[in-house]
Amino acid sequence: ALFMALLSMASVPSVLAADTPKPATAIFAGGCFWCTESDFEKLPGIIGAASGYTAGRVANPSYEMVSSGGTGHTEAVRVTYDPGKVSYSQLVEHFWRTIDPTAKDQQFCDHGTQYRSGIYWSNDSERKIAEASREALLKSGKVKQVHTEIIAATTFYPAEEYHQDYYKKNPLRYAYYRRSCGRDARVQEVWGGK
């Protein structure tokens, strides 16, 4: 009887754990990863975001390699989120409103394929959500074209430690960069009010 009681008590946490959604991840590229990381980390339901590189041809790229434009990578963020509080669809909608989807191979003051925008899906459901969102955006007439790539996720390489949470570690430099790059002004121009 004691064994059965212990067995039934041991199964309670696993039942509770099954009801709690596990954290999930999603990868987005929106130009400068400092800004994209900052934009996502302010969204409710986000556990954290890491700056890094994705969609390239070279293993373990460095910032110098990626910023030269020769590796095929783009600056990106891997967002860790609580799917019980925010859905993948909501992440995609939030993402659109933080970038200029009409810009090809650039975002704001940063130019080159390493600053292209993208949504990098990890399963068919995410692909369908991202593609449907792009189609809805085009049908809305808000933009006439979308240059944001929507492709299967490949290896995400975290950027060097000094890039992580840059906006928190260097708030004055970050604020100056963001303002001088014209990011918020262009987002306002494309999307209007919040």
Side-chain angles (χ1 to χ4, degrees):
L2 178 60
F3 175 75
M4 293 305 287
L6 289 173
L7 184 61
S8 67
M9 286 172 44
S11 66
V12 170
S14 64
V15 170
L16 293 175
D19 292 342
T20 306
K22 293 180 181 175
T25 59
I27 301 173
F28 299 93
C32 170
F33 48 28
W34 300 340
C35 298
T36 307
E37 180 181 355
S38 169
D39 288 342
F40 271 106
E41 285 191 343
K42 293 172 184 160
L43 187 65
I46 300 301
I47 296 166
S51 291
Y53 317 108
T54 198
R57 302 179 295 276
V58 177
N60 301 307
S62 67
Y63 178 72
E64 290 73 23
M65 293 167 68
V66 173
S67 63
S68 73
T71 68
H73 291 89
T74 186
E75 287 193 10
V77 296
R78 182 176 54 209
V79 178
T80 303
Y81 65 100
D82 178 347
K85 295 181 180 173
V86 64
S87 68
Y88 183 78
S89 179
Q90 289 171 311
L91 295 180
V92 170
E93 292 307 314
H94 175 75
F95 170 71
W96 288 126
R97 274 133 190 95
T98 64
I99 67 163
D100 176 358
T102 68
K104 183 172 173 56
D105 294 335
Q106 72 178 63
Q107 281 294 298
F108 315 104
C109 67
D110 295 313
H111 298 255
T113 59
Q114 66 272 33
Y115 297 108
R116 70 190 183 273
S117 61
I119 300 172
Y120 304 94
W121 49 268
S122 60
N123 58 52
D124 200 47
S125 174
E126 289 181 357
R127 178 188 61 78
K128 288 176 181 174
I129 289 168
E131 289 175 351
S133 180
R134 177 183 54 200
E135 293 310 309
L137 178 58
L138 287 166
K139 285 180 183 174
S140 76
K142 192 74 173 163
V143 298
K144 294 189 183 349
Q145 57 186 345
V146 173
H147 288 291
T148 302
E149 64 185 9
I150 298 175
I151 60 174
T154 58
T155 304
F156 176 88
Y157 297 99
E160 295 79 352
E161 183 55 36
Y162 70 93
H163 288 298
Q164 306 303 328
D165 289 321
Y166 187 88
Y167 74 102
K168 292 178 184 174
K169 295 175 187 172
N170 302 283
L172 295 177
R173 286 183 184 166
Y174 170 74
Y176 175 78
Y177 164 77
R178 187 169 179 127
R179 185 173 49 256
S180 64
C181 195
R183 188 178 186 106
D184 295 325
R186 179 62 183 148
V187 165
Q188 176 71 21
E189 188 179 326
V190 172
W191 300 107
K194 293 193 174 205

mmCIF file of all heavy atoms in Angstrom, residues 95-123:
data_model
loop_
_atom_site.group_PDB
_atom_site.id
_atom_site.type_symbol
_atom_site.label_atom_id
_atom_site.label_comp_id
_atom_site.label_asym_id
_atom_site.label_seq_id
_atom_site.Cartn_x
_atom_site.Cartn_y
_atom_site.Cartn_z
ATOM 1 N N PHE A 95 6.739 41.022 -34.924
ATOM 2 C CA PHE A 95 7.943 41.174 -35.740
ATOM 3 C C PHE A 95 7.718 42.125 -36.911
ATOM 4 O O PHE A 95 8.509 43.038 -37.142
ATOM 5 C CB PHE A 95 8.394 39.796 -36.247
ATOM 6 C CG PHE A 95 9.477 39.865 -37.286
ATOM 7 C CD1 PHE A 95 10.764 40.235 -36.948
ATOM 8 C CD2 PHE A 95 9.197 39.561 -38.610
ATOM 9 C CE1 PHE A 95 11.764 40.306 -37.915
ATOM 10 C CE2 PHE A 95 10.189 39.615 -39.575
ATOM 11 C CZ PHE A 95 11.477 39.998 -39.226
ATOM 12 N N TRP A 96 6.637 41.907 -37.663
ATOM 13 C CA TRP A 96 6.374 42.758 -38.830
ATOM 14 C C TRP A 96 6.411 44.230 -38.445
ATOM 15 O O TRP A 96 6.938 45.064 -39.174
ATOM 16 C CB TRP A 96 5.023 42.449 -39.462
ATOM 17 C CG TRP A 96 4.917 41.164 -40.215
ATOM 18 C CD1 TRP A 96 3.990 40.183 -40.003
ATOM 19 C CD2 TRP A 96 5.721 40.704 -41.316
ATOM 20 N NE1 TRP A 96 4.182 39.145 -40.892
ATOM 21 C CE2 TRP A 96 5.236 39.447 -41.711
ATOM 22 C CE3 TRP A 96 6.813 41.246 -41.994
ATOM 23 C CZ2 TRP A 96 5.792 38.712 -42.753
ATOM 24 C CZ3 TRP A 96 7.373 40.512 -43.039
ATOM 25 C CH2 TRP A 96 6.861 39.266 -43.412
ATOM 26 N N ARG A 97 5.820 44.560 -37.299
ATOM 27 C CA ARG A 97 5.677 45.964 -36.907
ATOM 28 C C ARG A 97 6.924 46.567 -36.278
ATOM 29 O O ARG A 97 6.913 47.702 -35.827
ATOM 30 C CB ARG A 97 4.459 46.132 -36.001
ATOM 31 C CG ARG A 97 3.228 46.326 -36.871
ATOM 32 C CD ARG A 97 2.032 45.510 -36.510
ATOM 33 N NE ARG A 97 0.983 45.598 -37.532
ATOM 34 C CZ ARG A 97 0.825 44.719 -38.513
ATOM 35 N NH1 ARG A 97 1.661 43.734 -38.664
ATOM 36 N NH2 ARG A 97 -0.165 44.828 -39.365
ATOM 37 N N THR A 98 8.033 45.795 -36.293
ATOM 38 C CA THR A 98 9.309 46.317 -35.796
ATOM 39 C C THR A 98 10.339 46.461 -36.910
ATOM 40 O O THR A 98 11.476 46.849 -36.641
ATOM 41 C CB THR A 98 9.890 45.406 -34.693
ATOM 42 O OG1 THR A 98 10.190 44.124 -35.248
ATOM 43 C CG2 THR A 98 8.931 45.271 -33.523
ATOM 44 N N ILE A 99 9.941 46.126 -38.144
ATOM 45 C CA ILE A 99 10.883 46.184 -39.272
ATOM 46 C C ILE A 99 10.264 46.956 -40.438
ATOM 47 O O ILE A 99 9.100 47.329 -40.403
ATOM 48 C CB ILE A 99 11.284 44.772 -39.758
ATOM 49 C CG1 ILE A 99 10.076 44.037 -40.377
ATOM 50 C CG2 ILE A 99 11.919 43.963 -38.638
ATOM 51 C CD1 ILE A 99 10.439 42.849 -41.230
ATOM 52 N N ASP A 100 11.075 47.132 -41.481
ATOM 53 C CA ASP A 100 10.591 47.648 -42.759
ATOM 54 C C ASP A 100 10.633 46.481 -43.747
ATOM 55 O O ASP A 100 11.687 46.186 -44.320
ATOM 56 C CB ASP A 100 11.480 48.797 -43.248
ATOM 57 C CG ASP A 100 11.070 49.311 -44.613
ATOM 58 O OD1 ASP A 100 10.124 48.763 -45.215
ATOM 59 O OD2 ASP A 100 11.712 50.268 -45.096
ATOM 60 N N PRO A 101 9.524 45.774 -43.942
ATOM 61 C CA PRO A 101 9.531 44.592 -44.808
ATOM 62 C C PRO A 101 9.733 44.916 -46.280
ATOM 63 O O PRO A 101 9.971 44.021 -47.086
ATOM 64 C CB PRO A 101 8.163 43.962 -44.560
ATOM 65 C CG PRO A 101 7.297 45.084 -44.102
ATOM 66 C CD PRO A 101 8.197 46.038 -43.373
ATOM 67 N N THR A 102 9.655 46.186 -46.644
ATOM 68 C CA THR A 102 9.816 46.578 -48.042
ATOM 69 C C THR A 102 11.285 46.733 -48.435
ATOM 70 O O THR A 102 11.593 46.866 -49.620
ATOM 71 C CB THR A 102 9.081 47.903 -48.333
ATOM 72 O OG1 THR A 102 9.736 48.966 -47.641
ATOM 73 C CG2 THR A 102 7.621 47.824 -47.918
ATOM 74 N N ALA A 103 12.179 46.736 -47.464
ATOM 75 C CA ALA A 103 13.610 46.939 -47.737
ATOM 76 C C ALA A 103 14.278 45.615 -48.103
ATOM 77 O O ALA A 103 14.098 44.615 -47.423
ATOM 78 C CB ALA A 103 14.286 47.548 -46.517
ATOM 79 N N LYS A 104 15.047 45.626 -49.184
ATOM 80 C CA LYS A 104 15.756 44.428 -49.628
ATOM 81 C C LYS A 104 17.220 44.505 -49.200
ATOM 82 O O LYS A 104 17.899 45.489 -49.475
ATOM 83 C CB LYS A 104 15.663 44.284 -51.146
ATOM 84 C CG LYS A 104 16.323 43.028 -51.685
ATOM 85 C CD LYS A 104 16.023 42.871 -53.165
ATOM 86 C CE LYS A 104 16.786 41.737 -53.803
ATOM 87 N NZ LYS A 104 16.584 40.445 -53.182
ATOM 88 N N ASP A 105 17.674 43.477 -48.523
ATOM 89 C CA ASP A 105 19.072 43.365 -48.082
ATOM 90 C C ASP A 105 19.544 44.564 -47.266
ATOM 91 O O ASP A 105 20.693 45.007 -47.402
ATOM 92 C CB ASP A 105 20.002 43.131 -49.278
ATOM 93 C CG ASP A 105 19.756 41.782 -49.933
ATOM 94 O OD1 ASP A 105 19.250 40.863 -49.250
ATOM 95 O OD2 ASP A 105 20.058 41.640 -51.128
ATOM 96 N N GLN A 106 18.666 45.049 -46.410
ATOM 97 C CA GLN A 106 19.014 46.125 -45.496
ATOM 98 C C GLN A 106 17.876 46.318 -44.513
ATOM 99 O O GLN A 106 16.770 45.852 -44.733
ATOM 100 C CB GLN A 106 19.271 47.440 -46.235
ATOM 101 C CG GLN A 106 17.997 48.067 -46.793
ATOM 102 C CD GLN A 106 18.244 49.395 -47.471
ATOM 103 O OE1 GLN A 106 18.949 49.449 -48.467
ATOM 104 N NE2 GLN A 106 17.669 50.452 -46.927
ATOM 105 N N GLN A 107 18.172 46.989 -43.434
ATOM 106 C CA GLN A 107 17.158 47.474 -42.509
ATOM 107 C C GLN A 107 17.677 48.791 -41.974
ATOM 108 O O GLN A 107 18.779 48.846 -41.395
ATOM 109 C CB GLN A 107 16.895 46.492 -41.361
ATOM 110 C CG GLN A 107 16.008 45.317 -41.736
ATOM 111 C CD GLN A 107 14.587 45.714 -42.081
ATOM 112 O OE1 GLN A 107 13.853 46.255 -41.276
ATOM 113 N NE2 GLN A 107 14.195 45.449 -43.325
ATOM 114 N N PHE A 108 16.932 49.840 -42.234
ATOM 115 C CA PHE A 108 17.237 51.171 -41.724
ATOM 116 C C PHE A 108 18.620 51.610 -42.220
ATOM 117 O O PHE A 108 18.837 51.577 -43.418
ATOM 118 C CB PHE A 108 17.048 51.183 -40.201
ATOM 119 C CG PHE A 108 15.762 50.488 -39.810
ATOM 120 C CD1 PHE A 108 15.759 49.210 -39.269
ATOM 121 C CD2 PHE A 108 14.533 51.082 -40.070
ATOM 122 C CE1 PHE A 108 14.573 48.547 -38.968
ATOM 123 C CE2 PHE A 108 13.338 50.425 -39.775
ATOM 124 C CZ PHE A 108 13.373 49.160 -39.227
ATOM 125 N N CYS A 109 19.557 51.973 -41.340
ATOM 126 C CA CYS A 109 20.852 52.482 -41.816
ATOM 127 C C CYS A 109 21.847 51.372 -42.114
ATOM 128 O O CYS A 109 22.942 51.633 -42.605
ATOM 129 C CB CYS A 109 21.445 53.457 -40.801
ATOM 130 S SG CYS A 109 21.934 52.694 -39.236
ATOM 131 N N ASP A 110 21.508 50.128 -41.830
ATOM 132 C CA ASP A 110 22.424 49.011 -42.040
ATOM 133 C C ASP A 110 22.132 48.349 -43.380
ATOM 134 O O ASP A 110 21.013 47.900 -43.630
ATOM 135 C CB ASP A 110 22.279 47.993 -40.901
ATOM 136 C CG ASP A 110 22.709 48.575 -39.568
ATOM 137 O OD1 ASP A 110 23.791 49.198 -39.512
ATOM 138 O OD2 ASP A 110 21.973 48.411 -38.580
ATOM 139 N N HIS A 111 23.157 48.286 -44.227
ATOM 140 C CA HIS A 111 23.002 47.775 -45.586
ATOM 141 C C HIS A 111 23.839 46.519 -45.793
ATOM 142 O O HIS A 111 24.928 46.398 -45.250
ATOM 143 C CB HIS A 111 23.408 48.847 -46.608
ATOM 144 C CG HIS A 111 22.564 50.071 -46.535
ATOM 145 N ND1 HIS A 111 21.593 50.360 -47.459
ATOM 146 C CD2 HIS A 111 22.513 51.077 -45.624
ATOM 147 C CE1 HIS A 111 20.988 51.490 -47.141
ATOM 148 N NE2 HIS A 111 21.535 51.941 -46.027
ATOM 149 N N GLY A 112 23.326 45.612 -46.607
ATOM 150 C CA GLY A 112 24.026 44.375 -46.928
ATOM 151 C C GLY A 112 23.164 43.183 -46.577
ATOM 152 O O GLY A 112 22.244 43.276 -45.767
ATOM 153 N N THR A 113 23.464 42.040 -47.186
ATOM 154 C CA THR A 113 22.667 40.839 -46.948
ATOM 155 C C THR A 113 22.711 40.395 -45.491
ATOM 156 O O THR A 113 21.802 39.713 -45.028
ATOM 157 C CB THR A 113 23.123 39.674 -47.839
ATOM 158 O OG1 THR A 113 24.507 39.410 -47.567
ATOM 159 C CG2 THR A 113 22.941 39.996 -49.316
ATOM 160 N N GLN A 114 23.733 40.795 -44.765
ATOM 161 C CA GLN A 114 23.833 40.425 -43.352
ATOM 162 C C GLN A 114 22.810 41.171 -42.490
ATOM 163 O O GLN A 114 22.659 40.876 -41.308
ATOM 164 C CB GLN A 114 25.254 40.635 -42.815
ATOM 165 C CG GLN A 114 25.726 42.081 -42.753
ATOM 166 C CD GLN A 114 26.375 42.582 -44.044
ATOM 167 O OE1 GLN A 114 26.002 42.178 -45.143
ATOM 168 N NE2 GLN A 114 27.348 43.461 -43.909
ATOM 169 N N TYR A 115 22.090 42.116 -43.103
ATOM 170 C CA TYR A 115 21.031 42.852 -42.395
ATOM 171 C C TYR A 115 19.656 42.609 -43.024
ATOM 172 O O TYR A 115 18.713 43.339 -42.738
ATOM 173 C CB TYR A 115 21.339 44.347 -42.367
ATOM 174 C CG TYR A 115 22.610 44.646 -41.602
ATOM 175 C CD1 TYR A 115 23.760 45.042 -42.265
ATOM 176 C CD2 TYR A 115 22.658 44.498 -40.224
ATOM 177 C CE1 TYR A 115 24.932 45.293 -41.569
ATOM 178 C CE2 TYR A 115 23.820 44.754 -39.522
ATOM 179 C CZ TYR A 115 24.954 45.141 -40.202
ATOM 180 O OH TYR A 115 26.110 45.385 -39.506
ATOM 181 N N ARG A 116 19.542 41.591 -43.870
ATOM 182 C CA ARG A 116 18.242 41.277 -44.472
ATOM 183 C C ARG A 116 17.291 40.795 -43.383
ATOM 184 O O ARG A 116 17.717 40.249 -42.368
ATOM 185 C CB ARG A 116 18.387 40.245 -45.581
ATOM 186 C CG ARG A 116 18.731 38.848 -45.113
ATOM 187 C CD ARG A 116 19.107 37.937 -46.282
ATOM 188 N NE ARG A 116 19.384 36.574 -45.876
ATOM 189 C CZ ARG A 116 20.576 36.141 -45.476
ATOM 190 N NH1 ARG A 116 21.611 36.963 -45.414
ATOM 191 N NH2 ARG A 116 20.741 34.874 -45.143
ATOM 192 N N SER A 117 16.012 40.987 -43.630
ATOM 193 C CA SER A 117 15.022 40.539 -42.657
ATOM 194 C C SER A 117 14.551 39.137 -43.011
ATOM 195 O O SER A 117 14.565 38.733 -44.181
ATOM 196 C CB SER A 117 13.846 41.510 -42.591
ATOM 197 O OG SER A 117 13.188 41.600 -43.833
ATOM 198 N N GLY A 118 14.143 38.397 -41.977
ATOM 199 C CA GLY A 118 13.694 37.036 -42.226
ATOM 200 C C GLY A 118 12.938 36.426 -41.065
ATOM 201 O O GLY A 118 13.095 36.837 -39.912
ATOM 202 N N ILE A 119 12.108 35.470 -41.421
ATOM 203 C CA ILE A 119 11.412 34.620 -40.459
ATOM 204 C C ILE A 119 11.866 33.201 -40.773
ATOM 205 O O ILE A 119 11.725 32.733 -41.910
ATOM 206 C CB ILE A 119 9.880 34.730 -40.593
ATOM 207 C CG1 ILE A 119 9.420 36.170 -40.361
ATOM 208 C CG2 ILE A 119 9.180 33.768 -39.632
ATOM 209 C CD1 ILE A 119 7.945 36.415 -40.672
ATOM 210 N N TYR A 120 12.413 32.523 -39.776
ATOM 211 C CA TYR A 120 13.020 31.210 -39.982
ATOM 212 C C TYR A 120 12.221 30.163 -39.212
ATOM 213 O O TYR A 120 12.349 30.039 -38.004
ATOM 214 C CB TYR A 120 14.502 31.258 -39.563
ATOM 215 C CG TYR A 120 15.205 32.350 -40.328
ATOM 216 C CD1 TYR A 120 15.346 33.627 -39.787
ATOM 217 C CD2 TYR A 120 15.633 32.144 -41.628
ATOM 218 C CE1 TYR A 120 15.923 34.659 -40.519
ATOM 219 C CE2 TYR A 120 16.215 33.165 -42.367
ATOM 220 C CZ TYR A 120 16.351 34.414 -41.805
ATOM 221 O OH TYR A 120 16.906 35.426 -42.539
ATOM 222 N N TRP A 121 11.364 29.461 -39.946
ATOM 223 C CA TRP A 121 10.437 28.521 -39.331
ATOM 224 C C TRP A 121 11.115 27.189 -39.046
ATOM 225 O O TRP A 121 12.052 26.794 -39.732
ATOM 226 C CB TRP A 121 9.201 28.333 -40.198
ATOM 227 C CG TRP A 121 9.461 28.056 -41.654
ATOM 228 C CD1 TRP A 121 9.544 28.976 -42.655
ATOM 229 C CD2 TRP A 121 9.675 26.784 -42.270
ATOM 230 N NE1 TRP A 121 9.789 28.354 -43.863
ATOM 231 C CE2 TRP A 121 9.881 27.008 -43.640
ATOM 232 C CE3 TRP A 121 9.716 25.479 -41.788
ATOM 233 C CZ2 TRP A 121 10.129 25.970 -44.542
ATOM 234 C CZ3 TRP A 121 9.965 24.447 -42.681
ATOM 235 C CH2 TRP A 121 10.155 24.702 -44.042
ATOM 236 N N SER A 122 10.578 26.485 -38.009
ATOM 237 C CA SER A 122 11.155 25.196 -37.633
ATOM 238 C C SER A 122 10.205 24.023 -37.866
ATOM 239 O O SER A 122 10.593 22.879 -37.650
ATOM 240 C CB SER A 122 11.611 25.225 -36.168
ATOM 241 O OG SER A 122 10.518 25.482 -35.329
ATOM 242 N N ASN A 123 8.977 24.312 -38.283
ATOM 243 C CA ASN A 123 8.038 23.223 -38.601
ATOM 244 C C ASN A 123 6.987 23.750 -39.574
ATOM 245 O O ASN A 123 6.931 24.954 -39.852
ATOM 246 C CB ASN A 123 7.400 22.643 -37.334
ATOM 247 C CG ASN A 123 6.675 23.693 -36.525
ATOM 248 O OD1 ASN A 123 5.833 24.427 -37.033
ATOM 249 N ND2 ASN A 123 7.002 23.778 -35.229
#
